[in-house]
Amino acid sequence: MQLNINGQTHEVDADADTPLLWVLRDNLGMTGTKFGCGLAQCGACSVLVDGQVTRSCVTTVDMLEGTEITTIEAIEQDDVGARVVEKWVEHQVPQCGYCQSGQVMAATALLKEVAQPTEEDVRAAMINLCRCGTYNYIKAAIDDLSGRKGEPL
Amino acid sequence: MTQRPDSPLKKRFSFAGIALIILAGGGWFVTRLPSSPFDGAAPQATPDLIARGEYVARQADCVACHSLEDGAPFAGGLEMGTPLGSIFATNITPDPQTGIGTYTLADFDRALRHGVTPDRRRLYPAMPYPSYEKMSDDDISALYAFFMNDVTPVQQAAAQSDIPWPLNIRWPLALWNVVFTTGQTYQTDPDQSEQWNRGAYLVEGAGHCGSCHTPRGMAMNEQGLDSSDPDFLSGALLDGWFAPSLRGDGAAGIGRWSEDDLFAFLSQGRNDHAVVFGSMTEAFNNSLQFMTDDDLRAISVYLKSLPGQGPGWQAQPATVTSLVEAAQSGLPGAETYMANCAACHGRDGLGQNEWIPALAGATSSQGTEPASQINVTLNGSGRVVADGMPDSYRMPPYRDRLNDTQIAEVLQFVRSSWGNTGTPVDTDAVADLRMRTDPASVAPIVLQMR
Ligand code: FES
Ligand code: FES
């Protein structure tokens, strides 16, 4: 089947029920998207599908034909994504970094949906887990992106 | 004063006499061995017959109750709840001491189709003999050939039932049988096709689908044992799961499913509408998927012929499709849904093809009985194994992640979104099932049927 990933068409040889995450990492060698739980519980595997944050470990590839998939590898080609990454660096958000490609995806999707999310919106949308507990830094970076100057951490 | 022809004393004697005769007759009736067409018959055991018997054992899913997960096949042991107390499935391997090794073919037949053991005890109808009585003589002798020749004998005595005296007296079941069974093998309906009749034979007989899917009456009798009865397979609550209607009911049955959908469900455990879950997982893993395509087609044709009632599900667009919208909507359960359920079941509730079931339009999202949805949310789904391959996606248990109120609210959101018409979910109902599905609780569910 054909998948459109980061603006390129990829011919993929996979069973219909293969999770997108496996295709990304194993078939295509795009390892920026991480495997955390495999059960839609953590968000480490988040990608964008038509601009919406999607957990790729539980998304079957047969659902994705005709959609536009964006992964962390190409997120900076997106205007919003580029701003998110910039602020992520500025606020030094990552610690170990394992969850962060997913966090960047979630933040990008949020800012695409609501340009200036309220604190309440941020709380609702940023639900990916971070073992290192970088939540305060994530919030600071998104506050900054939303035009709120939070307390510097 | 004139003399009466019969003295009161004499009258009393004749009453006593009649009563005695009735008692003796009744006593004989309830303790007799019913006759079997196999009385005095010599059993056959050709390889073909044994193979056919193995197939019949799959149809009847004997292993479901007569085996424990880690135990030897057919050695029994499963605890089963009845309104009177627990009983234990027996050892049906051909062990002469603890199993059925000494059963003649006629004994085997009487146990299977009449619920009577060789020592004249009556079986509880937890053994689905009201369905098995429809099985043909040929299938019974094939099944006997399989059990006697191809099942490894295991010495393992069945645990004793804990039902106290006098409730454990079993002869009244003979009278129960008079009222609630027909005593007949399956009778072909000449107005229907051969395929339909084959489906009816399997569903009403060996398949004993009604054991879970037909509501039961006061005496634990299934209210309807065949297609002539509108209660047959009309859905029933059992062991914390609601076995849905298999009739053509609009929203709550399989009215929306095509014959091909039904065939896919029975052969693969999944289709675009649903994936097997709850008690059905075992029925699929151990029984249904081993049936031939012809038999599963026949079952599909037969089930699709059962008329239903009520309007069908009318799809409605999703009103909430993201976490932010959910939070802003103020709808109870919407945020919980988007955070915990939408990744798999979809923001629109439509699921993912046949891999992850839709909740929009799902049978379990309609109607007044939310037990299955509560149960699967608390405890997750079992492993569906089709053609030896475990499935890739499974519902995880949420009992440690969501509290009773959150589960009640998220299910309420599901049951009132996308055109679903299910009734609201009570927090107490969640709390109750949480307790009863915890094996360490004071009152865990003891399965009545598997
Ligand atoms: S790996 Fe997909 S949500 Fe955890
Ligand atoms: S930065 Fe380590 S898990 Fe999030």
Side-chain angles (χ1 to χ4, degrees), chain A residues 52-53 106-107 109-127, chain B residues 319-331 334-335 338-339 347:
Chain A
Q52 288 195 308
V53 64
L110 168 62
L111 291 161
K112 279 173 176 293
E113 185 183 351
V114 194
Q116 293 201 307
T118 63
E119 294 202 355
E120 181 65 11
D121 295 338
V122 177
R123 187 196 58 74
M126 297 302 291
I127 58 169
Chain B
T319 51
V320 169
T321 56
S322 76
L323 280 156
V324 171
E325 281 174 19
Q328 290 173 352
S329 75
L331 276 177
E335 210 180 333
M338 287 302 156
R347 300 158 195 275

Side-chain angles (χ1 to χ4, degrees), chain A residues 21 34-45 55-57:
Chain A
L21 179 63
K34 301 301 185 210
F35 177 96
C37 61
L39 283 168
Q41 311 272 298
C42 74
C45 64
R55 297 190 166 182
S56 65
C57 67

Side-chain angles (χ1 to χ4, degrees), chain B residues 242-289:
Chain B
F242 184 75
S245 166
L246 304 183
R247 306 181 67 88
D249 296 333
I254 52 173
R256 250 167 15 99
W257 298 21
S258 69
E259 190 193 303
D260 284 346
D261 291 336
L262 200 45
F263 177 76
F265 190 76
L266 299 172
S267 57
Q268 297 302 313
R270 55 184 70 245
N271 63 21
D272 281 344
H273 304 290
V275 178
V276 293
F277 73 110
S279 331
M280 190 65 185
T281 307
E282 282 159 346
F284 171 77
N285 286 351
N286 296 327
S287 172
L288 284 166
Q289 66 171 310

Side-chain angles (χ1 to χ4, degrees), chain B residues 55-328:
Chain B
Y55 183 53
V56 175
R58 284 294 191 188
Q59 294 165 6
D61 202 6
C62 312
V63 81
C65 294
H66 288 282
S67 301
L68 290 177
E69 210 164 318
D70 304 316
F74 306 114
L78 179 74
E79 180 177 3
M80 302 177 83
T82 77
L84 309 177
S86 279
I87 58 177
F88 293 85
T90 52
N91 178 346
I92 54 169
T93 71
D95 177 65
Q97 272 94 48
T98 60
I100 60 168
T102 58
Y103 278 39
T104 64
L105 173 55
D107 291 339
F108 183 80
D109 175 33
R110 271 187 280 269
L112 225 78
R113 292 195 294 195
H114 301 284
V116 183
T117 65
D119 58 4
R120 295 163 192 253
R121 272 182 323 122
R122 297 277 161 173
L123 299 179
Y124 290 106
M127 165 76 175
Y129 61 83
S131 301
Y132 290 167
E133 70 178 7
K134 303 224 164 120
M135 293 168 69
S136 69
D137 291 358
D138 287 351
D139 276 352
I140 297 292
S141 52
L143 199 55
Y144 182 76
F146 167 67
F147 272 103
M148 289 302 167
N149 298 287
D150 214 17
V151 171
T152 312
V154 177
Q155 192 157 27
Q156 178 180 308
Q160 286 304 306
S161 145
D162 62 10
I163 300 178
W165 190 87
L167 297 174
N168 64 353
I169 298 172
R170 299 210 190 181
W171 61 259
L173 282 162
L175 307 175
W176 188 95
N177 289 358
V178 172
V179 183
F180 295 121
T181 67
T182 63
Q184 277 191 324
T185 54
Y186 179 74
Q187 305 293 305
T188 301
D189 182 343
D191 295 337
Q192 299 281 1
S193 69
E194 196 183 317
Q195 192 182 32
W196 186 95
N197 273 293
R198 175 69 182 162
Y201 173 75
L202 289 167
V203 169
E204 297 174 9
H208 66 285
C209 309
S211 289
C212 295
H213 289 276
T214 301
R216 290 180 188 259
M218 294 283 281
M220 290 302 286
N221 54 302
E222 290 167 39
Q223 296 176 319
L225 290 165
D226 59 47
S227 58
S228 67
D229 195 311
D231 285 328
F232 183 58
L233 304 179
S234 64
L237 182 65
L238 191 76
D239 300 337
W241 297 100
F242 184 75
S245 166
L246 304 183
R247 306 181 67 88
D249 296 333
I254 52 173
R256 250 167 15 99
W257 298 21
S258 69
E259 190 193 303
D260 284 346
D261 291 336
L262 200 45
F263 177 76
F265 190 76
L266 299 172
S267 57
Q268 297 302 313
R270 55 184 70 245
N271 63 21
D272 281 344
H273 304 290
V275 178
V276 293
F277 73 110
S279 331
M280 190 65 185
T281 307
E282 282 159 346
F284 171 77
N285 286 351
N286 296 327
S287 172
L288 284 166
Q289 66 171 310
F290 294 97
M291 295 208 200
T292 63
D293 284 0
D294 282 349
D295 279 350
L296 293 179
R297 273 281 163 207
I299 290 176
S300 310
V301 165
Y302 167 73
L303 289 178
K304 280 306 287 179
S305 79
L306 299 178
Q309 42 186 298
W313 171 73
Q314 298 291 329
Q316 297 282 333
T319 51
V320 169
T321 56
S322 76
L323 280 156
V324 171
E325 281 174 19
Q328 290 173 352

Side-chain angles (χ1 to χ4, degrees), chain A residues 69-125:
Chain A
I69 301 162
T70 309
T71 70
I72 190 71
E73 280 86 355
I75 198 67
E76 286 173 278
Q77 290 163 24
D78 178 280
D79 289 349
V80 180
R83 280 174 53 224
V84 170
V85 172
E86 190 189 322
K87 289 295 173 193
W88 241 243
V89 175
E90 195 179 313
H91 287 266
Q92 288 292 290
V93 174
Q95 181 166 305
C96 79
Y98 199 82
C99 72
Q100 295 295 339
S101 65
Q103 305 285 8
V104 166
M105 288 298 159
T108 305
L110 168 62
L111 291 161
K112 279 173 176 293
E113 185 183 351
V114 194
Q116 293 201 307
T118 63
E119 294 202 355
E120 181 65 11
D121 295 338
V122 177
R123 187 196 58 74

